[in-house]
Each structure stands twice: as structure tokens, then as C-alpha cells.
Amino acid sequence: MKPSNLLIAIAAGAASALLFVGLVVQSGSAVTLALAAPIPIFIASLGWGSVAGFLAAVVSAGLVAAISGLVSGGVLLFAAMSLPAAIAGHLAGLARPVAEDGPAERGPGPVGERPQLMWFPVERILFAIAAMAALACIGLGWYFGYDVAALKPEIVDTLRESGNAGQIDDAEFEAIATLLLSLIPLVQPAVLTLVLGLGLYLAAWLTRISDRLPRPKDDLPTALHLPPAALFVFAAGLAASFVSGPVEQIALVACGAFGMAFTLVGLGQLHARTRGRSNRGLLLFVSYAAIMILSFPLFVFTCLGIYDTIKRMRPASPA
């Protein structure tokens, strides 16, 4: 490994740790910065190689543990963001010659140019991100001892202190706490999938500006799909969510992660289908504004992403 790549990896790991450490020490204003923690890892992996990305992931976790004095903080960053970012960055850099069994096809240009390469498909990268988000949430839930019965009284006490206890009775606090706890296994992996997906996109954009990204630019609206396996995982999660106990929690985690992945595919379809329309800007603005204000339209794009996956599973009709 070149010394310059080593320095880049250490710097990326330190940047990621500094972005995330505020969340570990319970600084409420640091949540937004913590969501950007995977981006330096992505940049190191995309621009300076997979080894730099994995080294940056280890450095970031070690620094968080050292700064905060909490090993659990380093574990949280490593499992939830640093390692998935390093793996996704590695996958984005994988490529092979188009022709494997014969002379490699070459693109236009003088002889001696590198052969045309087939890069790791975007749909498989998105699948990997959703799977890693789900596994990270399940693993961290086990590591930190996620227990609904133990957490419910703490949430009720917090709601009492923050709310107007004179107007809301204990039964309503209990109902709100139950609702929040039921949403955590669904929302947490969905947010993590979104954070990792957007982080990879932003890191690729920044790395391409510096002319260090070897991968050509993907046309995301047309390339953003999911393989059929994602549909089977999502369907199995929905079916298992009706079973009570830990199985339900794990199933909801899978539904949250892959549900967000399908939502991203649906949004990609929106961008692809509105191309060439004179009112495209207005349609995109209204769609994203509705998502930000109401949240419910996300379900529409989730269904659109699922439909896209089912449609691609059908055999092509003969010409």
C-alpha cells in the first residue's frame, strides 16, 4: 500500500470518527453530522482502493472508541456505517473484462487502451446495502440487548418529562411508547439503508469531480433496480412479521431495509419516466415535497419499486 494511500485512509477514518463521535457522547445537534459519517469511508474506497476503505473503517471505529471511552461507540459506528461503507465501496469498484473467454473487447481509441469493463451492477450494490443495513440492525440489537419490555418504562418516563403530564394520562403515554417501540425495528434499518445509499451516491459524485473514480457514471434512473431475491426477502419478512417475539422484530428489520431499497427504485422510476416532459421539474418537486411533508407517498414509490422488480422477473416476450 502506497504511503499516500495510507495517509488518505487514516484521514478518512479520522473524518468519519469526528462526524460520528458527537452522537456517541449524546450531543443532540450531532445527529445530522453522524449521518454523513460513511461518506469519507466511501471516498477512500472509491478513489484510493478497497484496502484504503477497509483501513479507514477500522481507524474510524478505533478513534470513536478512544475519544468517547466507549467500546460500544466504536462497535456501533463500525457495524452500522464504516464496514458497510467499505464493503459497498469495494463492490462499486469491482469490474471484469466484457469478454472473459476470448480476446477482450476494446472500446474506441488507440490500441493499448484498457479493455471495456463490466462493472458490478448497481442493483446488486443496492441489494447488498439493504442486506448489510438489516444485518447491522439485527447484530446491534443483539449486542446492545434490545428489549421492548425493558425499554418501555424508560420511554414512558421520558415522555412524561418532555410532555404535558397534566393533560395526558398514563394510558396515553403507554400507547405512544408502544407505538414508538413497534416502529423502531422498521424505521431504523430503513433510515440506515437510505443513509448508506445517499452516502455512496454523494461520495461517487465527489470522487468523480476529483477525477479519481475509475467507474464510469451510471445512469441511475435506468440502472437502479433490485434482483428477484430482494422481493423474496421482503415477502418472507412480511409473512414472518405476524409471528410474535424476536422473529417479528427480525422480520420487521428486513421489511424496513428492503422496503426502503424498493422505495429508492421507485424514485428512480419517477426520474426515468418523467424524462423529456416539459413539467418534469414541477412533478419532481411536488413528489419530493409530498414525501417530506406527508411521508405517506413513500408507500406509493415502494409499490412502484416492487412492481418494477416483478415486471423484470417476467420472461421477455418473443419478438
Side-chain angles (χ1 to χ4, degrees):
M1 188 177 187
K2 296 180 180 179
S4 59
N5 290 9
L6 178 62
L7 291 175
I8 291 294
I10 295 174
S16 179
L18 291 175
L19 287 169
F20 189 81
V21 74
L23 184 64
V24 178
V25 298
Q26 299 181 351
S27 173
S29 60
V31 174
T32 304
L33 293 177
L35 296 179
I39 295 178
I41 311 294
F42 279 128
I43 292 175
S45 183
L46 294 173
W48 285 267
S50 300
V51 176
F54 284 109
L55 179 58
V58 174
V59 170
S60 66
L63 283 178
V64 166
I67 294 173
S68 65
L70 298 171
V71 175
S72 58
V75 172
L76 177 61
L77 174 59
F78 186 75
M81 293 186 176
S82 296
L83 183 59
I87 294 175
H90 168 72
L91 294 177
L94 291 178
R96 62 178 174 83
V98 173
E100 288 186 323
D101 300 328
E105 297 179 11
R106 295 182 179 275
V111 177
E113 252 186 30
R114 67 179 183 183
Q116 291 181 352
L117 298 176
M118 179 180 292
W119 296 88
F120 198 78
V122 173
E123 63 182 59
R124 297 185 183 179
I125 297 175
L126 181 58
F127 179 89
I129 286 176
M132 287 187 293
L135 291 174
C137 290
I138 293 171
L140 290 171
W142 169 81
Y143 179 80
F144 288 104
Y146 180 77
D147 186 357
V148 174
L151 289 173
K152 190 173 180 179
E154 297 180 9
I155 294 179
V156 170
D157 291 340
T158 303
L159 291 173
R160 278 202 195 96
E161 294 174 1
S162 60
N164 192 340
Q167 297 180 357
I168 302 177
D169 57 22
D170 290 344
E172 292 177 330
F173 281 128
E174 292 272 348
I176 295 173
T178 301
L179 176 62
L180 292 175
L181 287 171
S182 65
L183 290 177
I184 287 175
L186 193 66
V187 173
Q188 193 175 50
V191 172
L192 185 55
T193 301
L194 178 63
V195 167
L196 291 172
L198 288 180
L200 179 58
Y201 174 79
L202 291 174
W205 177 68
L206 292 171
T207 311
R208 187 175 289 112
I209 290 178
S210 64
D211 202 26
R212 293 201 61 92
L213 184 66
R215 182 183 180 113
K217 186 176 181 179
D218 296 286
D219 184 24
L220 286 182
T222 58
L224 199 59
H225 304 286
L226 279 170
L231 189 60
F232 292 116
V233 173
F234 185 71
L238 282 178
S241 65
F242 293 96
V243 180
S244 60
V247 174
E248 178 189 9
Q249 306 299 324
I250 294 173
L252 288 175
V253 168
C255 290
F258 283 91
M260 177 54 70
F262 281 119
T263 303
L264 293 176
V265 172
L267 290 171
Q269 290 295 302
L270 172 67
H271 283 259
R273 296 184 183 192
T274 55
R275 279 179 171 172
R277 296 191 178 187
S278 58
N279 59 344
R280 183 173 190 257
L282 178 62
L283 288 173
L284 294 177
F285 173 79
V286 170
S287 298
Y288 283 103
I291 290 173
M292 295 295 293
I293 297 172
L294 302 175
S295 298
F296 177 77
L298 279 176
F299 179 72
V300 175
F301 292 105
T302 304
C303 294
L304 184 59
I306 293 173
Y307 171 74
D308 174 77
T309 306
I310 295 174
K311 183 178 66 175
R312 286 166 51 84
M313 291 172 62
R314 298 173 183 170
S317 58

